[in-house]
Amino acid sequence: MPRMAITMKYQQGQRIAEDVYMQDGRLVFPKGTLLTQTIYNQIRQWEKSGLLLSSETTDNYEQQYTSLRRPDYCETYIQSLLEGVDDLFEKIRKGDAIKENQLRDLAKDIYINVHADERLSMRVPRGWTPENYIVHHSVDVCLLSAVIALHLGLPEAETVELITGALLHDLGMYDMPQYLMKKKGKLSPPELASLHQHPTRGIEKIEKSGIKLTPNERACILSHHERTNGQGYPQGLPYALIPLGARIVAVADSFSAMTAQRAYRNRMDYYRAIYEISDGDGGHLDRHVVHVLSGQLRHLILNTRVRLSTGEIGYVVEFHENNPLQPSVLITEDAQGQPVVSRYLRNLQEKQTVFIQAVMDAHET
């Protein structure tokens, strides 16, 4: 493929005229992306390094899907991010001094990568253990919050602050006894009281490490368990006093918790979680934010490869607004994993006994 030359000058309000790819075939900025100063600078840096290629199209569905999704890149980036966050959290836990620019640079890097490929928010491994739960959950919530912010049209600076707050939102959970992470059944009143203080403890830990939180970052951490009916914690704020950033993190936090494997319950499938999150935690989450996330999750899951309960494998090609759990799936492989000669569409609404069993990687068998 010929190399792409970036010759334009940055002007506010511009959009990218064609897809921008890396040499490895990864789509980093699709056509129509709103050009920000950060994205412009990143493109120029890549172009000068000879890393950019022009767009390439293909009529082959699987090849196109694979080239755009690049699961190997996604997994590499997510693994690197998890390791970096684990190292950062360990330093904060120990009370070590943290260089503030290290945290800001990490948040900016996450912003750039999610802006380039929102599917990263679907790539955090789900089989979490009590030992790695906080790191995995924090990264998951951070990526989901970034996707919501992008589709709410929040400014870049505000989105980066949201990413920072979302990443740090559960640091106070490190002070909770490990047995509570595995406990089945209801917590006792003292255990609940301790749990309800984890946002406050998190802020104390962060500030002890020398990080000066902005008001937006502090709000995301302190108020992500507040609810619109005023029955949340730790302050019991009414809806009007819950900052937008905290309402975004609350929705992302709920969805992440639903879809995580825990010691006391199995993870919920994305499709079931979409249905549950659309109910807005009984109406106590911000319904507009829920709507943005559920709508975008459908978009992200659209074209993903799935295995049905029948054993058939195919791609989600259409969602039905009245029943997001039962989309239409283009079947490409039979129950034995063999390619079908004539592909066919299976509308799961029409056959209630068939359901999506798993979301798969592009090359998974």
Side-chain angles (χ1 to χ4, degrees), residues 12 15 75 117 167 221 228 252 350 356:
Q12 189 173 4
R15 292 185 180 274
E75 290 167 8
D117 187 356
L167 188 63
I221 300 166
T228 58
E350 297 174 354
I356 291 174

Side-chain angles (χ1 to χ4, degrees), residues 229-351:
N229 65 349
Q231 299 300 308
Y233 64 84
Q235 296 173 294
L237 297 177
Y239 172 78
L241 296 182
I242 305 173
L244 175 59
R247 285 182 269 136
I248 291 172
V249 176
V251 171
D253 178 61
S254 296
F255 179 82
S256 176
M258 289 177 187
T259 56
Q261 183 71 29
R262 304 300 299 273
Y264 51 85
R265 62 160 172 76
N266 291 327
R267 66 177 291 262
M268 190 179 293
D269 187 270
Y270 286 141
Y271 292 87
R272 174 60 60 181
I274 289 175
Y275 178 82
E276 294 291 337
I277 203 72
S278 295
D279 190 45
D281 191 24
H284 306 323
L285 295 173
D286 186 307
R287 288 199 173 275
H288 179 57
V289 176
V290 169
H291 177 74
V292 170
L293 177 61
S294 61
Q296 194 55 24
L297 284 170
R298 296 176 195 182
H299 168 70
L300 292 175
I301 295 173
L302 195 65
N303 296 335
T304 52
R305 190 164 174 258
V306 296
R307 178 184 287 114
L308 302 184
S309 56
T310 58
E312 298 164 305
I313 294 173
Y315 293 86
V316 177
V317 294
E318 182 184 10
F319 271 105
H320 308 294
E321 287 298 324
N322 60 327
N323 197 342
L325 291 177
Q326 295 173 313
S328 292
V329 178
L330 178 67
I331 303 300
T332 58
E333 299 170 51
D334 62 23
Q336 286 70 47
Q338 298 300 313
V340 297
V341 177
S342 298
R343 298 177 181 182
Y344 54 93
L345 198 64
R346 186 180 284 283
N347 185 343
L348 302 190
Q349 280 196 132
E350 297 174 354
K351 198 163 186 178

Side-chain angles (χ1 to χ4, degrees), residues 109 164 175 221 254 271 282 364:
D109 179 72
T164 303
D175 289 338
I221 300 166
S254 296
Y271 292 87
E364 186 179 346

Side-chain angles (χ1 to χ4, degrees), residues 2-13:
R3 183 171 296 162
M4 175 183 290
I6 307 298
T7 58
M8 77 291 190
K9 293 183 178 180
Y10 171 71
Q11 292 182 9
Q12 189 173 4

Side-chain angles (χ1 to χ4, degrees), residues 195-209:
L195 175 68
H196 289 178
Q197 290 304 311
H198 82 265
T200 305
R201 290 197 302 267
I203 288 179
E204 292 172 354
K205 278 183 175 296
I206 294 163
E207 292 181 338
K208 187 177 179 181
S209 69

